[in-house]
Structure formats: C-alpha cells, structure tokens
Amino acid sequence: MISWRFSLFIAVSETIILPNSIGFVFEYFLGQFADAERVLQQILAAEPNHAHALHLYGVLLFQALSVLRGGDLLGVAHANPGAGAHVEVLGVYFSPPAGSAAAIVKAVDASQHEVLVQAYSFTHNAIAQAVLRAHARGVTVRVLLDQKSEQTNRYVLELLRHAHVPLRGDGQHAIAHNKVMVIDGSVVITGSFNFTNAAETRNAENFLILKSPDLARIYKSEWEKHWAHGAD
C-alpha cells in the first residue's frame, strides 16, 4: 500500500517541483539517476503537462531523497550481497515443443547430495520417477507442494508417500505457485514450467537450469522458509 507521505509527495511534485531543481539533485548527489532524469526532461519538453512524466519525476526524487537520508531505494529486493558473481546457464527450455522435461529428469538423475522440490502442480511421471531414484540412492530429497492442489497431485503424492520421501503441503498462501528445484546446493531449476504433463505437451512454458552456489543458496533459504510452515 502506498503511504500517505508518498501520495502527498507525488501530488506536490506535479504542481510545484521544477525540472531544473530535480536535475540538480540527481546530477549533484546521485549521478546514477541522471540518465533517467534526462529522459524525463525530453518527455516534458515535447509535452510539458505529461502526467506520467511528472509522476515519474516525483518517484525519482523521492528515491533520491530516501538514499540521501541513508535509506534504500524503494522497491529494490536485496539478495545476498555475494550472489550473482557468476551464474552459468546450463539450459534454456521452452514448450512447445514437447520433450523439455527430459532436461529436468537428467538434472535430477545427476544429483549426488540433495534435491529440493517446490511446485504448485506435480503430475509428471518421468520427473517423479527421477525424484524417486534420487531418494533410493541416498540423495536427500524433500518435496514441497501447494496444499490446496493435493487432489490434482494425488498420483505423485502417493508415489512419494509410498517411498517415504519427506513431503509437505504449503497452505499459507492463496497459491504456493513456485516451480523450483535446488540440486546439490549449486543448481537451480526455475521458470513457469510446472512439473506436469500439461506443461510439457499442451501449455506454453519456459524454464532455466542455472549453476551458481550463490544463487542456489538464496533459493534454498527461501525454500526453507516455506518448508518451515508447511504441513506434513
């Protein structure tokens, strides 16, 4: 929700803040905002009463003042400072065409220590069998699914329970809509692709397979938060 202070600031910025004064703030104190400020000046030069540009001016100046007061940029999600140093893209996959799930199966079959699964829907037998094979050879496997999708996921749930794979349902959200695997603390699989037959054969989907211990650590940390409030 937008605070009343922010709303008031936007209203004031539309009526009394001059572009030159904003430019001074950005150029003098926060050079990283200068390019955005110049673009907005060009918009206003072409259309002086451009409401969207005035709104953006207000947002940018509000951000600048926040930083100058020692705060953070609004709307910036702060990941682990060490993350992102190096991310290797192992694969980029789309469906159609069918067949991309084989890459997920291959990644799970290559696991040696740990496979963490987080999914809204999980009905794909080949992926489920790869997870079961990993569990059978001693890999630590935990599966976290959307609690409200239990009926849809019934087939795979029965397979996992029969093999005594640790399993929880996340019912703390309107939809637990993540589609993620974290493998061996270094590989992340993520995208729109549910682990389902429909995702592979009927839907338009995508997913990435990424290798980065830093990225995997962030995803695992988030995964653990949801696991903690999941129900057995």
Side-chain angles (χ1 to χ4, degrees):
M1 181 179 294
I2 298 175
S3 71
W4 67 268
R5 292 181 181 85
F6 182 77
S7 299
L8 178 60
F9 182 85
I10 294 299
V12 172
S13 72
E14 291 187 27
T15 55
I16 64 172
I17 294 177
L18 299 176
N20 288 340
S21 65
I22 296 173
F24 175 79
V25 171
F26 288 124
E27 294 286 355
Y28 187 77
F29 292 105
L30 295 168
Q32 63 265 40
F33 290 100
D35 288 341
E37 194 274 336
R38 278 192 288 271
V39 170
L40 292 173
Q41 278 192 343
Q42 292 173 4
I43 294 174
L44 283 177
E47 191 174 348
N49 295 318
H50 198 296
H52 294 298
L54 289 169
H55 268 98
L56 288 171
Y57 263 128
V59 172
L60 287 169
L61 185 56
F62 190 79
Q63 296 276 33
L65 294 175
S66 176
V67 172
L68 290 172
R69 293 179 60 186
D72 292 325
L73 290 177
L74 298 175
V76 175
H78 293 280
N80 188 309
H86 178 72
V87 177
E88 181 181 356
V89 180
L90 300 181
V92 180
Y93 301 92
F94 300 92
S95 60
S100 56
I104 298 175
V105 171
K106 182 178 178 180
V108 174
D109 278 338
S111 64
Q112 298 179 353
H113 309 296
E114 183 179 60
V115 176
L116 305 178
V117 179
Q118 188 175 19
Y120 169 67
S121 187
F122 192 177
T123 63
H124 197 291
N125 183 62
I127 297 174
Q129 294 300 326
V131 170
L132 293 173
R133 287 193 295 271
H135 176 70
R137 65 176 181 269
V139 173
T140 297
V141 176
R142 290 184 286 166
V143 177
L144 180 62
L145 302 177
D146 178 67
Q147 191 175 58
K148 291 178 286 297
S149 299
E150 184 166 348
Q151 288 302 312
T152 303
N153 299 328
R154 184 172 61 251
Y155 168 71
V156 168
L157 287 172
E158 290 176 356
L159 292 177
L160 297 173
R161 287 171 177 151
H162 181 75
H164 304 291
V165 174
L167 173 67
R168 290 185 182 178
D170 186 350
Q172 297 297 307
H173 317 282
I175 298 176
H177 210 234
N178 290 296
K179 300 98 172 178
V180 173
M181 288 190 186
V182 184
I183 300 174
D184 292 342
S186 62
V187 174
V188 174
I189 301 174
T190 187
S192 71
F193 192 97
N194 276 302
F195 307 132
T196 65
N197 297 309
E200 183 176 29
T201 62
R202 296 196 297 274
N203 300 345
E205 306 280 3
N206 72 86
F207 66 91
L208 300 170
I209 302 181
L210 308 169
K211 185 173 183 179
S212 168
D214 288 327
L215 186 65
R217 184 172 62 251
I218 294 169
Y219 269 88
K220 181 175 180 178
S221 176
E222 187 67 18
W223 188 96
E224 293 285 5
K225 293 176 185 177
H226 293 279
W227 179 262
H229 62 233
D232 293 322

